[in-house]
Amino acid sequence: MAASGASDDGVVFEAAHRIRIFRSGRVERYCGSDPFPASIDAGTGVASKDRAISPDVAVRLYLPPAAKDSGGRLPVLVYFHGGGFCLLSAFNAIIHGYLNSLAARARAVVVSVEYRLAPEHPIPAAYEDSWRALGWVASHASGAGEEAWLADHADFSRLSLAGESAGANIAHHMAMRGGAEGLPGGARISGVVLVHPYFLSDAKVPSEESNPAMADNLARMWRVVSPATTGLDDPWINPLAVGAPALGGLACGRVLVCLAEEDVLRDRGRAYCEGLRASGWAGELEVVEAAGQGHCFHLSDFTSGDAVRQDEAIARLLNL
């Protein structure tokens, strides 16, 4: 690890045992960056492989055994990992293991997006990379395209987006942009899943009182990953802010919001649901809340009862 110099010895952001960001822009990441190879998962039989879409963007695809067993086409899920826009990877062992499990349970083709991380690539790089990846996936909607797993097995009438934490934030913005600009090949987004979404605002909410230090860290992290931000009511981090695109333009017919009772972001998710209901959006909204659980609890043990119930709700949405 490079030694600190006088110019970069000031820490501007730190999450213990996860990341340290210095004034110079130097970053030390302590978890989530070690790549795990694509493979055939022994437990689920799910196959995975990696594709580069551009010099900056790649994806990991997951194909469940159901693709061969059923003989038909499967729902397709575009997934955006979390990590506060500055941690984790589509190729990380935790995300890889979770998506093997989800692809098998949901009997869906999953495309996990590797986007560039802040602060080396500040917001909006993650959104631009994710939009590029979504467009690449959608380009297969006609049944053609360079990726056989999508061209041969994906049912684009059941195209959904999902993510956890910052990835849920990205999924929301991709659905909004899809509604405003459309997708290649006439593809349409049928559903969106937001798991413990990373939304903020200047207004305090009761769930932040459970861990004020964590709530403060999440606010400081946003300012570090998005140095050009206007603040916590920036529409990128607060979809309910004045000036944010109207939620009625969300480009899907179904939304599932997954919350955790002990998550400091819980009430941000609840407020999003209230805003969506009040927006005139004509779709169906489902909310699933796990009692006694914290932020992204499912990534610690995706075989636990609450994690399985959450994934079963996701599977139902994907297969409608």
Side-chain angles (χ1 to χ4, degrees):
M1 188 174 295
S4 296
S7 64
D8 73 343
D9 58 359
V11 175
V12 295
F13 178 79
E14 181 172 10
H17 311 300
R18 290 178 173 82
I19 191 171
R20 182 179 290 166
I21 301 172
F22 294 83
R23 184 172 294 110
S24 68
R26 183 169 65 88
V27 182
E28 296 175 355
R29 292 184 174 89
Y30 308 119
C31 68
S33 299
D34 293 337
F36 191 88
S39 60
I40 297 178
D41 182 62
T44 62
V46 172
S48 56
K49 65 178 176 181
D50 300 335
R51 291 292 302 259
I53 294 174
S54 76
D56 296 325
V57 186
V59 297
R60 175 163 290 180
L61 298 104
Y62 296 82
L63 188 70
K68 295 180 180 178
D69 297 343
S70 69
R73 291 183 174 267
L74 304 177
V76 58
L77 173 65
V78 181
Y79 190 88
F80 309 99
H81 70 81
F85 300 101
C86 60
L87 279 168
L88 297 182
S89 163
F91 308 136
N92 166 259
I94 295 172
I95 301 299
H96 178 79
Y98 172 64
L99 291 180
N100 274 323
S101 174
L102 182 60
R105 185 177 304 280
R107 298 168 60 90
V109 181
V110 178
V111 184
S112 180
V113 178
E114 176 74 346
Y115 54 85
R116 289 172 295 168
L117 298 179
E120 299 95 328
H121 306 282
I123 297 297
Y127 300 117
E128 294 304 319
D129 293 352
S130 297
W131 181 250
R132 182 185 292 271
L134 177 57
W136 177 82
V137 173
S139 70
H140 295 77
S142 65
E146 61 185 9
E147 177 47 60
W149 284 6
L150 292 172
D152 296 344
H153 299 292
D155 176 1
F156 278 90
S157 70
R158 294 181 290 172
L159 168 64
S160 296
L161 313 181
E164 92 280 349
S165 194
N169 176 303
I170 293 172
H172 161 76
H173 285 291
M174 296 304 99
M176 292 299 297
R177 188 167 175 177
E181 300 180 21
L183 293 172
R188 294 179 179 272
I189 300 165
S190 60
V192 172
V193 179
L194 307 183
V195 180
H196 313 159
Y198 179 31
F199 297 137
L200 299 172
S201 81
D202 279 326
K204 300 296 184 182
V205 292
S207 61
E208 293 176 339
E209 297 172 4
S210 65
N211 192 335
M214 174 64 75
D216 180 65
N217 227 27
L218 290 170
R220 288 193 298 111
M221 181 170 65
W222 170 249
R223 292 185 172 94
V224 171
V225 302
S226 183
T229 187
T230 57
L232 300 185
D233 284 325
D234 185 330
W236 285 125
I237 197 65
N238 181 8
L240 304 178
V242 174
L247 294 182
L250 199 68
C252 61
R254 294 182 295 275
V255 171
L256 169 64
V257 178
C258 300
L259 306 174
E261 182 185 23
E262 303 300 324
D263 184 4
V264 296
L265 294 174
R266 179 199 66 202
D267 291 341
R268 303 294 183 190
R270 289 179 177 175
Y272 177 88
C273 294
E274 293 170 2
L276 187 59
R277 290 189 181 104
S279 71
W281 176 71
E284 299 177 8
L285 171 64
E286 179 182 2
V287 181
V288 173
E289 184 169 324
Q293 297 287 4
H295 190 68
C296 292
F297 70 89
H298 60 292
L299 295 182
S300 298
D301 181 5
F302 43 81
T303 65
S304 70
D306 285 332
V308 169
R309 281 187 286 275
Q310 181 173 278
D311 282 354
E312 286 175 342
I314 296 172
R316 286 194 299 273
L317 180 140
L318 300 186
N319 283 277
L320 289 174

